[in-house]
Amino acid sequence: MAQVRIGNGYDIHQLVAGRSLILGGVKIEHELGLLGHSDADVLTHAIMDALLGALSLGDIGHYFPPTDPQWAGADSLQLLAQVAELIQAQGWQVGNIDSVVVAERPKLKGHIAAMRDRLATVLQIQPEQIGIKATTNEKLGPVGREEGIAAYAVALLEAI
Ligand code: MG
């Protein structure tokens, strides 16, 4: 059996007026967007933490601290590309990623194919290696009240 490592990641960002909603590198039309130091792409952040976690490399806050003006408004896909480079440099490749976005609104179904394409391109893998599921929180808690959007991800890495 190939040498493998598994990691998991979680993230949540507040929904506010006057910000863009970007998930998996895809800009989605909505009256609210996610608040954060970077573009606040909660799905990409959860995936980055899963990838880093698989190799016990810490978390995204360590590499891209929210206090560093260098990452203000950063395109999270560019941060993901840096994480991908780090993983490859350590001798690992992505086997597969699975993820869940928890959002009461908007409906994400029509955007998932585009998100998989964008993430796969950055990670230099096939879209078939990335699972993205969307669910609501059944109106429960802060996500259910549309105060934020959360994302969970797991990643399996294989030794090159
Ligand atoms: Mg985040």
Side-chain angles (χ1 to χ4, degrees):
M1 191 181 158
Q3 210 186 336
V4 296
R5 303 275 304 219
I6 190 168
N8 82 94
Y10 166 78
D11 198 19
I12 187 166
H13 281 265
Q14 259 184 68
L15 275 169
V16 295
R19 289 272 300 186
S20 297
L21 177 59
I22 296 167
L23 293 171
V26 176
K27 190 162 185 264
I28 295 168
E29 277 307 315
H30 192 46
E31 71 267 27
L32 303 173
L34 293 173
L35 181 65
H37 185 62
S38 66
D39 64 7
D41 182 340
V42 69
L43 172 60
T44 300
H45 293 183
I47 289 172
M48 289 164 65
D49 261 358
L51 294 168
L52 291 168
L55 297 181
S56 308
L57 289 172
D59 58 42
I60 58 172
H62 171 74
Y63 295 91
F64 313 107
T67 49
D68 188 338
Q70 187 183 345
W71 311 119
D75 175 351
S76 293
L77 289 186
Q78 288 186 11
L79 310 184
L80 179 66
Q82 291 184 49
V83 170
E85 268 178 40
L86 187 66
I87 284 160
Q88 197 172 21
Q90 301 249 339
W92 295 83
Q93 63 186 11
V94 176
N96 76 301
I97 289 166
D98 189 29
S99 62
V100 186
V101 180
V102 192
E104 213 59 35
R105 285 190 316 129
K107 284 279 170 247
L108 300 177
K109 198 176 171 188
H111 302 284
I112 285 177
M115 292 182 207
R116 292 172 76 200
D117 281 346
R118 296 220 67 184
L119 292 166
T121 301
V122 172
L123 292 168
Q124 297 179 278
I125 59 177
Q126 299 304 309
E128 292 72 27
Q129 289 169 275
I130 306 181
I132 301 174
K133 304 183 294 297
T135 188
T136 71
N137 219 33
E138 292 289 335
K139 302 195 188 311
L140 295 168
V143 171
R145 291 190 296 267
E146 299 182 40
E147 293 167 14
I149 291 179
Y152 299 83
V154 292
L156 188 80
L157 302 185
E158 301 166 342
I160 295 169

